[in-house]
Amino acid sequence: MAKKTVASLQTSSKRLTKAIKMVKSPKSGAYVFVEQVMPPELVDAWIAKK
């Protein structure tokens, strides 16, 4: 199943990366996972952003 997900992210000439970040919810205080698909160049900036 993971192979299918990775293959679908690699379209013709675009390479995309699925980034997953753990964020603390302001409502409940529990941690939630936030996922986003983006170009590899933007991953570091997205993870550093709060």
Side-chain angles (χ1 to χ4, degrees):
M1 199 160 209
K3 288 183 180 181
K4 184 175 182 183
T5 303
V6 171
S8 67
L9 293 175
Q10 296 176 358
T11 58
S12 59
S13 64
K14 282 193 162 192
R15 275 189 61 95
L16 299 174
T17 302
K18 182 177 185 180
I20 303 171
K21 168 167 73 168
M22 192 167 67
V23 180
K24 192 169 188 175
S25 173
K27 269 187 172 177
S28 65
Y31 285 95
V32 294
F33 292 97
V34 179
E35 299 178 5
Q36 188 169 358
V37 177
M38 65 188 77
E41 300 84 33
L42 302 177
V43 172
D44 290 332
W46 182 74
I47 290 177
K49 184 176 75 169
K50 283 193 174 185

mmCIF file of all heavy atoms in Angstrom:
data_model
loop_
_atom_site.group_PDB
_atom_site.id
_atom_site.type_symbol
_atom_site.label_atom_id
_atom_site.label_comp_id
_atom_site.label_asym_id
_atom_site.label_seq_id
_atom_site.Cartn_x
_atom_site.Cartn_y
_atom_site.Cartn_z
ATOM 1 N N MET A 1 0.814 -1.182 0.000
ATOM 2 C CA MET A 1 0.000 0.000 0.000
ATOM 3 C C MET A 1 0.865 1.255 0.000
ATOM 4 O O MET A 1 0.543 2.217 -0.664
ATOM 5 C CB MET A 1 -0.914 -0.015 1.210
ATOM 6 C CG MET A 1 -2.072 0.888 1.077
ATOM 7 S SD MET A 1 -3.277 0.316 2.254
ATOM 8 C CE MET A 1 -4.760 0.775 1.516
ATOM 9 N N ALA A 2 1.977 1.255 0.702
ATOM 10 C CA ALA A 2 2.857 2.417 0.732
ATOM 11 C C ALA A 2 3.442 2.679 -0.651
ATOM 12 O O ALA A 2 3.608 3.814 -1.050
ATOM 13 C CB ALA A 2 3.971 2.211 1.733
ATOM 14 N N LYS A 3 3.725 1.620 -1.396
ATOM 15 C CA LYS A 3 4.273 1.810 -2.739
ATOM 16 C C LYS A 3 3.277 2.541 -3.629
ATOM 17 O O LYS A 3 3.645 3.384 -4.412
ATOM 18 C CB LYS A 3 4.636 0.468 -3.358
ATOM 19 C CG LYS A 3 5.848 -0.171 -2.743
ATOM 20 C CD LYS A 3 6.185 -1.459 -3.453
ATOM 21 C CE LYS A 3 7.404 -2.084 -2.828
ATOM 22 N NZ LYS A 3 7.782 -3.307 -3.487
ATOM 23 N N LYS A 4 2.005 2.216 -3.494
ATOM 24 C CA LYS A 4 0.989 2.864 -4.306
ATOM 25 C C LYS A 4 0.919 4.356 -3.979
ATOM 26 O O LYS A 4 0.828 5.192 -4.852
ATOM 27 C CB LYS A 4 -0.371 2.217 -4.070
ATOM 28 C CG LYS A 4 -1.459 2.763 -4.947
ATOM 29 C CD LYS A 4 -2.744 2.006 -4.747
ATOM 30 C CE LYS A 4 -3.819 2.518 -5.661
ATOM 31 N NZ LYS A 4 -5.087 1.856 -5.426
ATOM 32 N N THR A 5 0.990 4.725 -2.702
ATOM 33 C CA THR A 5 0.958 6.126 -2.291
ATOM 34 C C THR A 5 2.150 6.880 -2.835
ATOM 35 O O THR A 5 2.018 7.963 -3.380
ATOM 36 C CB THR A 5 0.928 6.222 -0.751
ATOM 37 O OG1 THR A 5 -0.201 5.501 -0.282
ATOM 38 C CG2 THR A 5 0.841 7.649 -0.298
ATOM 39 N N VAL A 6 3.334 6.295 -2.715
ATOM 40 C CA VAL A 6 4.545 6.951 -3.191
ATOM 41 C C VAL A 6 4.491 7.114 -4.708
ATOM 42 O O VAL A 6 4.808 8.171 -5.230
ATOM 43 C CB VAL A 6 5.790 6.145 -2.771
ATOM 44 C CG1 VAL A 6 7.032 6.698 -3.436
ATOM 45 C CG2 VAL A 6 5.942 6.185 -1.265
ATOM 46 N N ALA A 7 4.042 6.099 -5.404
ATOM 47 C CA ALA A 7 3.979 6.170 -6.864
ATOM 48 C C ALA A 7 2.992 7.233 -7.321
ATOM 49 O O ALA A 7 3.233 7.919 -8.298
ATOM 50 C CB ALA A 7 3.591 4.812 -7.432
ATOM 51 N N SER A 8 1.893 7.412 -6.616
ATOM 52 C CA SER A 8 0.910 8.410 -7.032
ATOM 53 C C SER A 8 1.425 9.830 -6.812
ATOM 54 O O SER A 8 0.946 10.756 -7.436
ATOM 55 C CB SER A 8 -0.410 8.199 -6.299
ATOM 56 O OG SER A 8 -0.243 8.473 -4.930
ATOM 57 N N LEU A 9 2.396 9.995 -5.928
ATOM 58 C CA LEU A 9 2.944 11.330 -5.677
ATOM 59 C C LEU A 9 3.953 11.744 -6.746
ATOM 60 O O LEU A 9 4.263 12.914 -6.878
ATOM 61 C CB LEU A 9 3.613 11.391 -4.307
ATOM 62 C CG LEU A 9 2.684 11.245 -3.113
ATOM 63 C CD1 LEU A 9 3.498 11.208 -1.829
ATOM 64 C CD2 LEU A 9 1.667 12.340 -3.067
ATOM 65 N N GLN A 10 4.474 10.808 -7.497
ATOM 66 C CA GLN A 10 5.460 11.113 -8.519
ATOM 67 C C GLN A 10 4.766 11.175 -9.870
ATOM 68 O O GLN A 10 4.697 10.204 -10.597
ATOM 69 C CB GLN A 10 6.564 10.068 -8.522
ATOM 70 C CG GLN A 10 7.361 10.055 -7.245
ATOM 71 C CD GLN A 10 8.377 8.939 -7.232
ATOM 72 O OE1 GLN A 10 8.463 8.148 -8.156
ATOM 73 N NE2 GLN A 10 9.142 8.865 -6.174
ATOM 74 N N THR A 11 4.260 12.350 -10.203
ATOM 75 C CA THR A 11 3.599 12.526 -11.484
ATOM 76 C C THR A 11 4.630 12.884 -12.529
ATOM 77 O O THR A 11 5.792 13.110 -12.211
ATOM 78 C CB THR A 11 2.513 13.614 -11.394
ATOM 79 O OG1 THR A 11 3.117 14.820 -10.959
ATOM 80 C CG2 THR A 11 1.421 13.223 -10.409
ATOM 81 N N SER A 12 4.238 13.016 -13.749
ATOM 82 C CA SER A 12 5.106 13.185 -14.920
ATOM 83 C C SER A 12 6.436 13.888 -14.626
ATOM 84 O O SER A 12 7.468 13.271 -14.599
ATOM 85 C CB SER A 12 4.356 13.895 -16.023
ATOM 86 O OG SER A 12 3.919 15.170 -15.561
ATOM 87 N N SER A 13 6.435 15.186 -14.431
ATOM 88 C CA SER A 13 7.704 15.876 -14.226
ATOM 89 C C SER A 13 7.804 16.498 -12.846
ATOM 90 O O SER A 13 8.817 17.087 -12.505
ATOM 91 C CB SER A 13 7.878 16.971 -15.278
ATOM 92 O OG SER A 13 6.877 17.951 -15.108
ATOM 93 N N LYS A 14 6.759 16.398 -12.040
ATOM 94 C CA LYS A 14 6.782 16.985 -10.700
ATOM 95 C C LYS A 14 7.102 15.927 -9.666
ATOM 96 O O LYS A 14 6.550 14.844 -9.689
ATOM 97 C CB LYS A 14 5.423 17.595 -10.357
ATOM 98 C CG LYS A 14 5.163 18.909 -10.978
ATOM 99 C CD LYS A 14 3.966 19.529 -10.308
ATOM 100 C CE LYS A 14 3.937 21.006 -10.599
ATOM 101 N NZ LYS A 14 2.980 21.691 -9.764
ATOM 102 N N ARG A 15 7.991 16.263 -8.750
ATOM 103 C CA ARG A 15 8.254 15.402 -7.597
ATOM 104 C C ARG A 15 7.595 16.047 -6.401
ATOM 105 O O ARG A 15 7.813 17.209 -6.112
ATOM 106 C CB ARG A 15 9.752 15.277 -7.329
ATOM 107 C CG ARG A 15 10.415 14.217 -8.140
ATOM 108 C CD ARG A 15 11.842 13.993 -7.685
ATOM 109 N NE ARG A 15 11.948 13.563 -6.306
ATOM 110 C CZ ARG A 15 12.034 12.295 -5.922
ATOM 111 N NH1 ARG A 15 12.015 11.351 -6.811
ATOM 112 N NH2 ARG A 15 12.151 11.985 -4.660
ATOM 113 N N LEU A 16 6.795 15.288 -5.686
ATOM 114 C CA LEU A 16 6.106 15.802 -4.516
ATOM 115 C C LEU A 16 6.464 14.950 -3.309
ATOM 116 O O LEU A 16 6.780 13.777 -3.431
ATOM 117 C CB LEU A 16 4.595 15.796 -4.735
ATOM 118 C CG LEU A 16 4.094 16.650 -5.884
ATOM 119 C CD1 LEU A 16 2.597 16.438 -6.082
ATOM 120 C CD2 LEU A 16 4.386 18.115 -5.643
ATOM 121 N N THR A 17 6.416 15.575 -2.154
ATOM 122 C CA THR A 17 6.729 14.897 -0.912
ATOM 123 C C THR A 17 5.556 15.041 0.044
ATOM 124 O O THR A 17 4.965 16.109 0.133
ATOM 125 C CB THR A 17 7.981 15.524 -0.267
ATOM 126 O OG1 THR A 17 9.052 15.439 -1.186
ATOM 127 C CG2 THR A 17 8.364 14.815 1.009
ATOM 128 N N LYS A 18 5.238 13.969 0.747
ATOM 129 C CA LYS A 18 4.192 14.028 1.759
ATOM 130 C C LYS A 18 4.872 14.242 3.105
ATOM 131 O O LYS A 18 5.632 13.394 3.571
ATOM 132 C CB LYS A 18 3.389 12.735 1.761
ATOM 133 C CG LYS A 18 2.251 12.731 2.746
ATOM 134 C CD LYS A 18 1.474 11.445 2.613
ATOM 135 C CE LYS A 18 0.258 11.443 3.490
ATOM 136 N NZ LYS A 18 -0.488 10.180 3.353
ATOM 137 N N ALA A 19 4.603 15.395 3.725
ATOM 138 C CA ALA A 19 5.206 15.726 5.009
ATOM 139 C C ALA A 19 4.158 15.570 6.106
ATOM 140 O O ALA A 19 3.009 15.969 5.945
ATOM 141 C CB ALA A 19 5.733 17.147 4.987
ATOM 142 N N ILE A 20 4.572 14.997 7.219
ATOM 143 C CA ILE A 20 3.687 14.787 8.360
ATOM 144 C C ILE A 20 4.326 15.452 9.574
ATOM 145 O O ILE A 20 5.492 15.236 9.870
ATOM 146 C CB ILE A 20 3.473 13.289 8.631
ATOM 147 C CG1 ILE A 20 2.923 12.614 7.387
ATOM 148 C CG2 ILE A 20 2.560 13.076 9.819
ATOM 149 C CD1 ILE A 20 2.875 11.117 7.470
ATOM 150 N N LYS A 21 3.531 16.272 10.265
ATOM 151 C CA LYS A 21 4.038 17.015 11.413
ATOM 152 C C LYS A 21 3.095 16.798 12.596
ATOM 153 O O LYS A 21 1.883 16.761 12.429
ATOM 154 C CB LYS A 21 4.107 18.489 11.008
ATOM 155 C CG LYS A 21 4.339 19.473 12.097
ATOM 156 C CD LYS A 21 4.702 20.857 11.585
ATOM 157 C CE LYS A 21 3.568 21.619 10.978
ATOM 158 N NZ LYS A 21 3.886 23.032 10.749
ATOM 159 N N MET A 22 3.659 16.655 13.789
ATOM 160 C CA MET A 22 2.857 16.488 14.989
ATOM 161 C C MET A 22 2.688 17.856 15.649
ATOM 162 O O MET A 22 3.665 18.547 15.918
ATOM 163 C CB MET A 22 3.537 15.519 15.950
ATOM 164 C CG MET A 22 2.661 15.067 17.068
ATOM 165 S SD MET A 22 3.315 13.667 17.987
ATOM 166 C CE MET A 22 4.739 14.365 18.752
ATOM 167 N N VAL A 23 1.430 18.258 15.885
ATOM 168 C CA VAL A 23 1.122 19.578 16.427
ATOM 169 C C VAL A 23 0.239 19.409 17.655
ATOM 170 O O VAL A 23 -0.662 18.568 17.669
ATOM 171 C CB VAL A 23 0.378 20.434 15.368
ATOM 172 C CG1 VAL A 23 0.050 21.800 15.910
ATOM 173 C CG2 VAL A 23 1.187 20.541 14.099
ATOM 174 N N LYS A 24 0.483 20.228 18.675
ATOM 175 C CA LYS A 24 -0.343 20.173 19.879
ATOM 176 C C LYS A 24 -1.607 20.993 19.656
ATOM 177 O O LYS A 24 -1.539 22.158 19.275
ATOM 178 C CB LYS A 24 0.434 20.721 21.068
ATOM 179 C CG LYS A 24 -0.210 20.438 22.386
ATOM 180 C CD LYS A 24 0.705 20.764 23.535
ATOM 181 C CE LYS A 24 0.093 20.277 24.826
ATOM 182 N NZ LYS A 24 1.003 20.465 25.951
ATOM 183 N N SER A 25 -2.756 20.384 19.881
ATOM 184 C CA SER A 25 -4.050 21.036 19.689
ATOM 185 C C SER A 25 -4.289 22.065 20.793
ATOM 186 O O SER A 25 -4.145 21.751 21.972
ATOM 187 C CB SER A 25 -5.162 19.995 19.704
ATOM 188 O OG SER A 25 -6.412 20.627 19.678
ATOM 189 N N PRO A 26 -4.656 23.297 20.424
ATOM 190 C CA PRO A 26 -4.910 24.303 21.458
ATOM 191 C C PRO A 26 -6.173 24.016 22.270
ATOM 192 O O PRO A 26 -6.272 24.414 23.423
ATOM 193 C CB PRO A 26 -5.054 25.602 20.663
ATOM 194 C CG PRO A 26 -5.357 25.200 19.271
ATOM 195 C CD PRO A 26 -4.787 23.822 19.087
ATOM 196 N N LYS A 27 -7.131 23.317 21.680
ATOM 197 C CA LYS A 27 -8.392 23.003 22.382
ATOM 198 C C LYS A 27 -8.199 21.977 23.487
ATOM 199 O O LYS A 27 -8.487 22.230 24.646
ATOM 200 C CB LYS A 27 -9.416 22.452 21.391
ATOM 201 C CG LYS A 27 -10.296 23.467 20.774
ATOM 202 C CD LYS A 27 -11.351 22.753 19.952
ATOM 203 C CE LYS A 27 -12.388 23.700 19.450
ATOM 204 N NZ LYS A 27 -13.362 23.022 18.614
ATOM 205 N N SER A 28 -7.725 20.804 23.110
ATOM 206 C CA SER A 28 -7.682 19.691 24.055
ATOM 207 C C SER A 28 -6.297 19.448 24.648
ATOM 208 O O SER A 28 -6.169 18.730 25.629
ATOM 209 C CB SER A 28 -8.149 18.414 23.361
ATOM 210 O OG SER A 28 -7.250 18.067 22.335
ATOM 211 N N GLY A 29 -5.264 19.998 24.047
ATOM 212 C CA GLY A 29 -3.909 19.753 24.534
ATOM 213 C C GLY A 29 -3.321 18.461 24.014
ATOM 214 O O GLY A 29 -2.168 18.142 24.279
ATOM 215 N N ALA A 30 -4.105 17.689 23.241
ATOM 216 C CA ALA A 30 -3.615 16.431 22.674
ATOM 217 C C ALA A 30 -2.820 16.725 21.398
ATOM 218 O O ALA A 30 -2.968 17.780 20.789
ATOM 219 C CB ALA A 30 -4.797 15.526 22.349
ATOM 220 N N TYR A 31 -1.983 15.797 21.035
ATOM 221 C CA TYR A 31 -1.215 15.954 19.805
ATOM 222 C C TYR A 31 -1.988 15.373 18.628
ATOM 223 O O TYR A 31 -2.604 14.320 18.729
ATOM 224 C CB TYR A 31 0.146 15.266 19.930
ATOM 225 C CG TYR A 31 1.104 16.047 20.804
ATOM 226 C CD1 TYR A 31 1.246 15.765 22.150
ATOM 227 C CD2 TYR A 31 1.851 17.083 20.271
ATOM 228 C CE1 TYR A 31 2.115 16.478 22.949
ATOM 229 C CE2 TYR A 31 2.717 17.809 21.052
ATOM 230 C CZ TYR A 31 2.852 17.510 22.390
ATOM 231 O OH TYR A 31 3.708 18.236 23.173
ATOM 232 N N VAL A 32 -1.952 16.086 17.497
ATOM 233 C CA VAL A 32 -2.600 15.631 16.271
ATOM 234 C C VAL A 32 -1.566 15.663 15.153
ATOM 235 O O VAL A 32 -0.569 16.379 15.232
ATOM 236 C CB VAL A 32 -3.813 16.513 15.896
ATOM 237 C CG1 VAL A 32 -4.917 16.374 16.929
ATOM 238 C CG2 VAL A 32 -3.417 17.951 15.750
ATOM 239 N N PHE A 33 -1.803 14.882 14.134
ATOM 240 C CA PHE A 33 -0.901 14.835 12.995
ATOM 241 C C PHE A 33 -1.478 15.650 11.845
ATOM 242 O O PHE A 33 -2.648 15.518 11.509
ATOM 243 C CB PHE A 33 -0.679 13.391 12.539
ATOM 244 C CG PHE A 33 0.084 12.586 13.546
ATOM 245 C CD1 PHE A 33 -0.579 11.775 14.448
ATOM 246 C CD2 PHE A 33 1.461 12.654 13.594
ATOM 247 C CE1 PHE A 33 0.117 11.034 15.383
ATOM 248 C CE2 PHE A 33 2.175 11.924 14.531
ATOM 249 C CZ PHE A 33 1.505 11.112 15.419
ATOM 250 N N VAL A 34 -0.641 16.506 11.247
ATOM 251 C CA VAL A 34 -1.039 17.330 10.117
ATOM 252 C C VAL A 34 -0.231 16.848 8.917
ATOM 253 O O VAL A 34 0.996 16.769 8.987
ATOM 254 C CB VAL A 34 -0.748 18.825 10.395
ATOM 255 C CG1 VAL A 34 -1.137 19.679 9.212
ATOM 256 C CG2 VAL A 34 -1.470 19.270 11.644
ATOM 257 N N GLU A 35 -0.911 16.516 7.828
ATOM 258 C CA GLU A 35 -0.244 16.022 6.624
ATOM 259 C C GLU A 35 -0.436 17.015 5.483
ATOM 260 O O GLU A 35 -1.485 17.634 5.375
ATOM 261 C CB GLU A 35 -0.839 14.686 6.202
ATOM 262 C CG GLU A 35 -0.694 13.594 7.213
ATOM 263 C CD GLU A 35 -1.335 12.303 6.760
ATOM 264 O OE1 GLU A 35 -1.813 12.235 5.611
ATOM 265 O OE2 GLU A 35 -1.357 11.359 7.555
ATOM 266 N N GLN A 36 0.595 17.138 4.644
ATOM 267 C CA GLN A 36 0.484 18.003 3.479
ATOM 268 C C GLN A 36 1.422 17.484 2.392
ATOM 269 O O GLN A 36 2.522 17.033 2.670
ATOM 270 C CB GLN A 36 0.846 19.444 3.839
ATOM 271 C CG GLN A 36 0.557 20.411 2.735
ATOM 272 C CD GLN A 36 0.671 21.855 3.205
ATOM 273 O OE1 GLN A 36 0.932 22.132 4.356
ATOM 274 N NE2 GLN A 36 0.488 22.765 2.290
ATOM 275 N N VAL A 37 0.959 17.571 1.150
ATOM 276 C CA VAL A 37 1.765 17.174 -0.001
ATOM 277 C C VAL A 37 2.311 18.442 -0.636
ATOM 278 O O VAL A 37 1.556 19.369 -0.929
ATOM 279 C CB VAL A 37 0.903 16.383 -1.008
ATOM 280 C CG1 VAL A 37 1.729 16.033 -2.232
ATOM 281 C CG2 VAL A 37 0.354 15.135 -0.366
ATOM 282 N N MET A 38 3.638 18.480 -0.825
ATOM 283 C CA MET A 38 4.287 19.690 -1.335
ATOM 284 C C MET A 38 5.590 19.344 -2.045
ATOM 285 O O MET A 38 6.071 18.219 -1.927
ATOM 286 C CB MET A 38 4.563 20.638 -0.174
ATOM 287 C CG MET A 38 5.567 20.088 0.816
ATOM 288 S SD MET A 38 5.756 21.050 2.278
ATOM 289 C CE MET A 38 4.304 20.592 3.168
ATOM 290 N N PRO A 39 6.176 20.310 -2.776
ATOM 291 C CA PRO A 39 7.487 20.078 -3.385
ATOM 292 C C PRO A 39 8.549 19.910 -2.295
ATOM 293 O O PRO A 39 8.424 20.501 -1.214
ATOM 294 C CB PRO A 39 7.749 21.362 -4.191
ATOM 295 C CG PRO A 39 6.419 22.003 -4.357
ATOM 296 C CD PRO A 39 5.591 21.572 -3.196
ATOM 297 N N PRO A 40 9.584 19.122 -2.550
ATOM 298 C CA PRO A 40 10.607 18.851 -1.533
ATOM 299 C C PRO A 40 11.319 20.099 -1.016
ATOM 300 O O PRO A 40 11.783 20.131 0.110
ATOM 301 C CB PRO A 40 11.600 17.926 -2.232
ATOM 302 C CG PRO A 40 10.946 17.454 -3.460
ATOM 303 C CD PRO A 40 9.821 18.371 -3.776
ATOM 304 N N GLU A 41 11.397 21.153 -1.812
ATOM 305 C CA GLU A 41 12.113 22.364 -1.402
ATOM 306 C C GLU A 41 11.393 23.080 -0.255
ATOM 307 O O GLU A 41 12.012 23.819 0.505
ATOM 308 C CB GLU A 41 12.251 23.350 -2.571
ATOM 309 C CG GLU A 41 13.002 22.808 -3.768
ATOM 310 C CD GLU A 41 12.106 22.004 -4.700
ATOM 311 O OE1 GLU A 41 10.912 22.323 -4.826
ATOM 312 O OE2 GLU A 41 12.615 21.043 -5.307
ATOM 313 N N LEU A 42 10.086 22.912 -0.133
ATOM 314 C CA LEU A 42 9.309 23.651 0.860
ATOM 315 C C LEU A 42 9.119 22.904 2.174
ATOM 316 O O LEU A 42 8.568 23.452 3.123
ATOM 317 C CB LEU A 42 7.931 23.989 0.270
ATOM 318 C CG LEU A 42 7.928 24.791 -1.021
ATOM 319 C CD1 LEU A 42 6.514 24.981 -1.521
ATOM 320 C CD2 LEU A 42 8.606 26.129 -0.818
ATOM 321 N N VAL A 43 9.595 21.676 2.254
ATOM 322 C CA VAL A 43 9.351 20.851 3.440
ATOM 323 C C VAL A 43 9.991 21.444 4.686
ATOM 324 O O VAL A 43 9.349 21.570 5.728
ATOM 325 C CB VAL A 43 9.850 19.401 3.207
ATOM 326 C CG1 VAL A 43 9.775 18.593 4.488
ATOM 327 C CG2 VAL A 43 9.014 18.747 2.131
ATOM 328 N N ASP A 44 11.257 21.838 4.630
ATOM 329 C CA ASP A 44 11.943 22.351 5.798
ATOM 330 C C ASP A 44 11.266 23.609 6.351
ATOM 331 O O ASP A 44 11.105 23.752 7.564
ATOM 332 C CB ASP A 44 13.414 22.651 5.488
ATOM 333 C CG ASP A 44 14.214 21.382 5.268
ATOM 334 O OD1 ASP A 44 13.840 20.338 5.833
ATOM 335 O OD2 ASP A 44 15.209 21.442 4.524
ATOM 336 N N ALA A 45 10.852 24.508 5.472
ATOM 337 C CA ALA A 45 10.182 25.740 5.913
ATOM 338 C C ALA A 45 8.835 25.413 6.553
ATOM 339 O O ALA A 45 8.452 26.025 7.552
ATOM 340 C CB ALA A 45 9.996 26.681 4.733
ATOM 341 N N TRP A 46 8.105 24.448 5.996
ATOM 342 C CA TRP A 46 6.793 24.090 6.536
ATOM 343 C C TRP A 46 6.924 23.444 7.921
ATOM 344 O O TRP A 46 6.139 23.732 8.810
ATOM 345 C CB TRP A 46 6.068 23.142 5.577
ATOM 346 C CG TRP A 46 4.702 22.770 6.017
ATOM 347 C CD1 TRP A 46 3.581 23.552 5.989
ATOM 348 C CD2 TRP A 46 4.287 21.517 6.571
ATOM 349 N NE1 TRP A 46 2.512 22.860 6.484
ATOM 350 C CE2 TRP A 46 2.905 21.607 6.846
ATOM 351 C CE3 TRP A 46 4.950 20.329 6.842
ATOM 352 C CZ2 TRP A 46 2.195 20.558 7.385
ATOM 353 C CZ3 TRP A 46 4.227 19.284 7.385
ATOM 354 C CH2 TRP A 46 2.866 19.395 7.638
ATOM 355 N N ILE A 47 7.928 22.602 8.103
ATOM 356 C CA ILE A 47 8.117 21.939 9.391
ATOM 357 C C ILE A 47 8.570 22.958 10.443
ATOM 358 O O ILE A 47 8.147 22.886 11.588
ATOM 359 C CB ILE A 47 9.113 20.776 9.267
ATOM 360 C CG1 ILE A 47 8.466 19.668 8.456
ATOM 361 C CG2 ILE A 47 9.553 20.261 10.625
ATOM 362 C CD1 ILE A 47 9.341 18.480 8.188
ATOM 363 N N ALA A 48 9.389 23.931 10.084
ATOM 364 C CA ALA A 48 9.872 24.924 11.024
ATOM 365 C C ALA A 48 8.778 25.900 11.452
ATOM 366 O O ALA A 48 8.827 26.460 12.537
ATOM 367 C CB ALA A 48 11.039 25.692 10.413
ATOM 368 N N LYS A 49 7.772 26.099 10.590
ATOM 369 C CA LYS A 49 6.685 27.028 10.883
ATOM 370 C C LYS A 49 5.782 26.466 11.966
ATOM 371 O O LYS A 49 5.499 25.283 11.990
ATOM 372 C CB LYS A 49 5.881 27.277 9.604
ATOM 373 C CG LYS A 49 4.788 28.305 9.755
ATOM 374 C CD LYS A 49 4.114 28.546 8.437
ATOM 375 C CE LYS A 49 3.195 27.379 8.118
ATOM 376 N NZ LYS A 49 2.299 27.621 6.989
ATOM 377 N N LYS A 50 5.322 27.331 12.876
ATOM 378 C CA LYS A 50 4.421 26.870 13.944
ATOM 379 C C LYS A 50 2.992 27.066 13.558
ATOM 380 O O LYS A 50 2.565 27.836 12.836
ATOM 381 C CB LYS A 50 4.694 27.607 15.230
ATOM 382 C CG LYS A 50 5.933 27.080 15.907
ATOM 383 C CD LYS A 50 6.018 27.579 17.324
ATOM 384 C CE LYS A 50 7.177 26.917 18.023
ATOM 385 N NZ LYS A 50 7.267 27.251 19.393
#
